[in-house]
Amino acid sequence: MSDPLDPREFIGGYLAEADEYLAAANTRLLELERSVQSGQSNARAVRELFRALHTIKGLSAMVGVDPIVDIAHEMEAYLRGADKAGGFSTSAAVEVLLQGVKAIEARVRALANQQPIPRPELALLDALASLKEGVPARTSPRSTELALPPELLAKLSASEQEQLLQGIAAGRRAVRAAFVPSTTRAAEGITITSARKRVEAIAELVKVLPFSAPPSGEDPGGIRFLLFLLTDADDAQLADAVFAPPGEVLSLASTPVAVTEPETSSLPEDEEPEVAEKTRSYVRVEVARLDEAMERLSALVVSRFRLARAVASAAQRGADVREVTTILGDVARDLRDLRGAIMRARMVSMAEVLERIPLLVRSLARSVGKTVRVELRAGRAELDKAVADRIFPALVHLVRNAVDHAIEAPAQRRALGKPEEGTLI
């Protein structure tokens, strides 16, 4: 009989996953807060925030961290209502949700430090539960609807429809395009995954909707994919991205109608969280293991130099070492390539290093009564993980000084003819 499953075996993986989803949750909450401040809804942020929390809840249940499950469950209940409202929220709700994420982070740290995990504070659970009673309604009835057949419109949640309509109102094109898989395309490596990757380079992907179609010789599975998009690209570019004729890219331009807002949500109740299809796969590795690999590589380099000296000595004695010398050259190149591969594995994106800065600035600005907006321009820059860990405290110090001393209080900025909100770039 096999040994029972020990959830502690998964703690390392859980902590890494939880950190990633908590970072995503904080990012989406800050996006939602900016939308609330501008009086707009943000359906996409609500859905992605829900999915991050739903995943954290599922992972926490798997390893038996019930306090996190309880907090995430209460947060989900509010987000379902916000999704039904088309992504509308309030400043008070965002503040409570941020407190909920902070409470989850504290319990994840306690687990990482092998400390007791406290039960959720009753005041926090009560505050989260009260949010469900104050789910915001739309600020005004929607007077337009997407140009879609009823059967397709029913497949889009209220928040997804709102996202498309907001894009149209902002001057973007809302379209739908179809990707048709086939055995020929599959043999060429052309799949819905590659089509999505190409589309996302030129458009905002709102939803991918699979639907059945009559099977054929090229498509024995009888499956099609509809992609609902917001974009500034033309039909030819979009058609090329999904490997379709230009005539199959159809506009979703809204038309005036009288509609009753559907009370539906695409967010799950308690089933497994929706897993977005990824174009890349990742393996999480402790930095210590990469350091160990680099040490082993260093030992190989030393052995290679010792072997080179031995070959040179043999050559001086008249031995034929031409073949061995050729092999030594190949080994040297392989060692350089291996070193480069290990160094690349240690690199982290600057955007990942900076993703905690906006939440830090928000906290600092509130503590000193200032309004500060953060603009991050990390691009594709990367740096070594050890360097990133050392540089982040210095960045925090710079940011703290900027908020405390470089940005004036709102009243002083008004007196100087500046906008009340300062910008930290």
Side-chain angles (χ1 to χ4, degrees), residues 401-416:
N401 281 344
V403 174
D404 286 343
H405 307 298
I407 297 178
E408 306 90 346
Q412 187 178 355
R413 292 180 65 84
R414 284 196 304 271
L416 294 172

Side-chain angles (χ1 to χ4, degrees), residues 63-263:
V63 296
V65 191
D66 292 336
I68 294 179
V69 174
D70 295 340
I71 298 171
H73 180 76
E74 293 295 338
M75 297 172 75
E76 284 182 340
Y78 169 76
L79 291 170
R80 288 193 191 93
D83 181 64
K84 291 179 181 179
F88 283 94
S89 187
T90 64
S91 297
V94 171
E95 187 65 39
V96 176
L97 292 173
L98 281 167
Q99 293 174 17
V101 172
K102 187 175 180 179
I104 292 175
E105 289 176 331
R107 283 151 183 81
V108 170
R109 286 196 301 271
L111 180 65
N113 295 330
Q114 299 182 348
Q115 297 173 346
I117 302 173
R119 299 297 304 173
E121 294 84 356
L122 291 178
L124 174 62
L125 292 179
D126 290 343
L128 290 170
S130 66
L131 293 181
K132 293 181 290 187
E133 304 171 1
V135 174
R138 295 185 183 276
T139 55
S140 61
R142 197 170 66 199
S143 59
T144 58
E145 182 151 311
L146 299 168
L148 275 173
E151 62 273 15
L152 289 181
L153 192 62
K155 299 290 185 180
L156 297 176
S157 70
S159 57
E160 288 163 346
Q161 295 178 40
E162 186 70 25
Q163 185 177 348
L164 290 166
L165 288 167
Q166 285 182 3
I168 293 172
R172 305 187 72 189
R173 299 180 62 222
V175 299
R176 61 182 169 108
F179 172 76
V180 182
S182 68
T183 53
T184 302
R185 286 179 171 174
E188 297 173 354
I190 301 173
T191 64
I192 182 59
T193 300
S194 57
R196 284 181 60 154
K197 185 176 181 180
R198 287 161 61 95
V199 165
E200 288 175 339
I202 58 174
E204 178 184 343
L205 186 58
V206 177
K207 189 179 184 71
V208 176
L209 179 64
F211 66 98
S212 59
S216 63
E218 274 293 294
D219 180 22
I223 184 105
R224 304 285 189 273
F225 295 92
L226 277 183
L227 293 87
F228 295 85
L229 313 168
L230 286 171
T231 184
D232 297 318
D234 58 33
D235 288 356
Q237 291 175 292
L238 292 169
D240 179 67
V242 296
F243 309 96
E248 295 189 14
V249 177
L250 303 178
S251 173
L252 301 179
S254 57
T255 54
V257 292
V259 297
T260 302
E261 194 60 47
E263 289 296 324

Side-chain angles (χ1 to χ4, degrees), residues 163-403:
Q163 185 177 348
L164 290 166
L165 288 167
Q166 285 182 3
I168 293 172
R172 305 187 72 189
R173 299 180 62 222
V175 299
R176 61 182 169 108
F179 172 76
V180 182
S182 68
T183 53
T184 302
R185 286 179 171 174
E188 297 173 354
I190 301 173
T191 64
I192 182 59
T193 300
S194 57
R196 284 181 60 154
K197 185 176 181 180
R198 287 161 61 95
V199 165
E200 288 175 339
I202 58 174
E204 178 184 343
L205 186 58
V206 177
K207 189 179 184 71
V208 176
L209 179 64
F211 66 98
S212 59
S216 63
E218 274 293 294
D219 180 22
I223 184 105
R224 304 285 189 273
F225 295 92
L226 277 183
L227 293 87
F228 295 85
L229 313 168
L230 286 171
T231 184
D232 297 318
D234 58 33
D235 288 356
Q237 291 175 292
L238 292 169
D240 179 67
V242 296
F243 309 96
E248 295 189 14
V249 177
L250 303 178
S251 173
L252 301 179
S254 57
T255 54
V257 292
V259 297
T260 302
E261 194 60 47
E263 289 296 324
T264 59
S265 173
S266 63
L267 300 183
E269 290 299 326
D270 287 307
E271 65 267 24
E272 290 298 313
E274 178 180 344
V275 179
E277 189 172 7
K278 296 183 180 179
T279 57
R280 295 183 182 181
S281 58
Y282 297 89
V283 175
R284 301 180 186 281
V285 179
E286 294 180 12
V287 176
R289 294 191 178 187
L290 295 176
D291 291 338
E292 181 183 0
M294 186 61 75
E295 290 176 6
R296 303 287 185 184
L297 176 62
S298 299
L300 284 174
V301 171
V302 172
S303 297
R304 184 257 171 195
F305 279 114
R306 292 176 59 195
L307 180 59
R309 286 198 300 267
V311 170
S313 177
Q316 289 177 355
R317 293 193 299 269
D320 183 2
V321 295
R322 286 175 296 179
E323 184 175 356
V324 178
T325 301
T326 300
I327 295 173
L328 273 174
D330 293 339
V331 170
R333 284 191 296 273
D334 290 342
L335 288 174
R336 285 196 300 270
D337 292 344
L338 179 57
R339 181 181 184 279
I342 294 175
M343 293 302 295
R344 286 193 297 275
R346 292 177 56 90
M347 303 296 280
V348 295
S349 70
M350 197 64 193
E352 182 180 335
V353 176
L354 296 176
E355 67 183 1
R356 289 175 284 175
I357 293 295
L359 193 62
L360 171 66
V361 170
R362 179 185 186 275
S363 177
L364 292 173
R366 290 197 165 206
S367 66
V368 295
K370 297 178 180 178
T371 306
V372 184
R373 178 169 55 91
V374 183
E375 292 184 9
L376 300 178
R377 301 173 185 175
R380 297 183 179 179
E382 294 182 327
L383 71 167
D384 186 271
K385 180 67 168 67
V387 176
D389 290 341
R390 294 192 176 201
I391 201 175
F392 186 75
L395 291 174
V396 170
H397 181 70
L398 289 172
V399 167
R400 186 181 298 275
N401 281 344
V403 174

